[in-house]
Amino acid sequence: MEDPGIAERLVDSLVRPDGSPKKRPVHTIGIGATGSFLASHVARDYCISKHFQGTETPVTVRFSNGSGSAVQHDGWSDVRGMATRFHLDDGTATDLIAMTLPEFFTPTPETFLDFALAAKPAKFSRESPWRKILDMLKLTPPMRDPYPGETVRPDEGAMRFADRNGYAQLAVFQAAAIGAPASYDRASYHAVHTFVITAPDGTRRWVRFTWQPIAGVLDTNPNAPPEDVYLQDKLRERLALAPARFSLMMSIGEIGDAFDDPTRPWPPHRVRVMMGTLTLDTVVKDQEADCERLSFNPGLLTDGIEPSGDLVLRARKDVYEISSKRRGAVPCPFSRSQANDE
Amino acid sequence: MTNDGGWFDRFVDSLPERGWFKFLSTYVVVPYWVWRDPKPKLPGGPRASAQPSENVQRMMNLIMPLKDSSPIGRAKAALAIAQNVDEIFAGLDNVGTVHTARFLLLDDYICMISVYDGDFSNYIRDFIATIGSVFDEVVSLVEGGDDLIPTTHNVERFIDWVHAHDLFQAPDFPTDLFGLQDTASGRSPDSPPHELRSLPRELILQLNANPNISLGGGYRAYPGFSAAQVRGKFGVGW
């Protein structure tokens, strides 16, 4: 990264007043599960990575609410996260970090710092009925009413930032209406960034990954009062009954696509390849030791998968590592070994 | 969502569902904004793109108003298609770049819905060359169609006419609407950026200019592949 201090400043900027220094600054509330990933019969034709060769790969997954609040509000509209660690048979690992928002807010670490500062959760005033009427007459949606107990939120700051910076508009618009999933296993999760994969014949492809739930996508009713605590219980109930499964879909980019810009999703008409199926069957027993203290990292890659030129992807590697150190988590794999490093 | 803003706030929240407010919105508020910020009709069909997968499996949603939408007029339109099925199917085989095509009678319109590969103008040219006589019959039943007959002698005008009757395809990503409207109005796209909360209004105004639209680029089960590639893969090509 060109600015060596920006990762530190990014972590600082993400800390919320209602967060906790002992937890992650974003995606603070989460739950871990384990299972396995089985590559499809075509995956090995596209990528030489070990987990795409057709044998079962054990995985650890952490689902999370995107907010950095240390208080659980499952039913609030929020981006959700799905961090997946593939435990490879040679003892190394590779991570795939995904979220329900299909794109990122900014194209560079510097602009993300600006965004994080502008959208830092702040106190806000409920929109008055008269202001709502004025909005309706302007054919613009009123700002969302606060949830019970909600005192700070990023919405107003994010909206002002998006009004000045067109690249943030799609993510802010979609995040504002993203809602809450009925269960963590009923949402699609997008890895957002572009990766470069290598095929057995040496062909390199620029690709993006998405997890799609085989049970289907299902949100809660946005007009019903939100429940604060249900997502972790739902996952426990779900896995006690039967495994939850996701398909790993890979879109192949084409010349002219935004390879290095995570604010621009690719159109849905790109060639898609079904790379494998994730099966989750067990909730992690000791959540604190075996999930919350784990340090996932989007830069933890393996042979056959490289980062693209996406500057945000490259910056996240340092940001995750700093965040991990600050909360005293299990040291990031980068700290132990550079074996998996790019 | 729970509303603890008091009775007046709850009442205001309920306004969009109240009949008198819908009436006010439809007949006063929206017309005011249409007058104040009119939007040009956005062109139909897929937009130009350099990416290969954007140039295969392209959609045409040709919506043509019937001159006579009575049951008799509709029956004439149905007969025009039914009596030419062989010609249409043989023509589509000869065009070779069509995945699917079908005609619909929908309210007061006869519609041709098709999925094709390659350039729009070439697709229409190929069509006229192969089934121009069928199109002559169809456009003779359609408002504004008489001037185009015979279509084989009015190819460029027919292409423009088809383009005008092809549905505008809403962008796959909602905020891209700003840029499309800017371009149609001769402005630089998103420069300066628009107020994000104005997007619903921009959509409403655009739907006033383009009442019928295609919602996004649609789903493709085998994206990125042409009809010729699919035929070749399964060994049934021509």
Side-chain angles (χ1 to χ4, degrees), chain A residues 96-99 101-109 112 190-196 206-210 250-251 258-266 297-299 301 305-317 320:
Chain A
L96 185 65
I97 314 296
M99 62 176 176
L101 192 64
E103 63 282 317
F104 199 61
F105 296 98
T106 66
T108 66
F112 183 57
H190 312 274
V192 174
H193 302 290
T194 305
F195 296 89
V196 185
W206 275 249
V207 302
R208 288 184 177 178
F209 294 102
T210 292
M250 181 178 79
S251 294
F259 290 154
D260 299 339
D261 182 357
T263 68
R264 290 298 304 171
W266 294 346
N297 196 309
L301 303 175
I305 306 180
E306 305 162 46
S308 62
D310 182 338
L311 297 173
V312 176
L313 172 61
R314 289 169 183 267
R316 284 177 75 183
K317 178 179 155 186
Y320 277 61

Side-chain angles (χ1 to χ4, degrees), chain B residues 153-166:
Chain B
H153 293 176
N154 296 293
V155 174
E156 297 308 316
R157 283 178 55 216
F158 185 67
I159 289 172
D160 291 342
W161 187 87
V162 170
H163 206 50
H165 288 78
D166 195 1

Side-chain angles (χ1 to χ4, degrees), chain A residues 113-182:
Chain A
L113 181 59
D114 294 341
F115 174 79
L117 293 171
K120 202 169 183 67
K123 289 188 182 302
F124 62 98
S125 299
R126 181 193 189 93
E127 195 163 279
S128 75
W130 296 108
R131 177 73 216 183
K132 287 182 181 179
I133 292 173
L134 188 62
D135 283 338
M136 291 176 193
L137 295 178
K138 289 169 68 180
L139 301 176
T140 57
M143 291 298 288
R144 173 176 63 77
D145 284 337
Y147 292 112
E150 187 180 28
T151 57
V152 296
R153 69 181 183 191
D155 302 32
E156 283 76 7
M159 203 67 79
R160 282 193 296 272
F161 185 88
D163 285 344
R164 296 192 307 271
N165 300 281
Y167 55 74
Q169 291 199 333
L170 183 59
V172 170
F173 181 79
Q174 295 195 318
I178 202 162

Side-chain angles (χ1 to χ4, degrees), chain A residues 29-53:
Chain A
I29 303 287
I31 181 170
T34 56
S36 62
F37 175 78
L38 184 61
S40 71
H41 67 283
V42 297
R44 73 187 71 172
D45 297 337
Y46 289 89
C47 185
I48 59 172
S49 295
K50 291 185 176 66
H51 55 310
F52 290 133
Q53 299 313 301

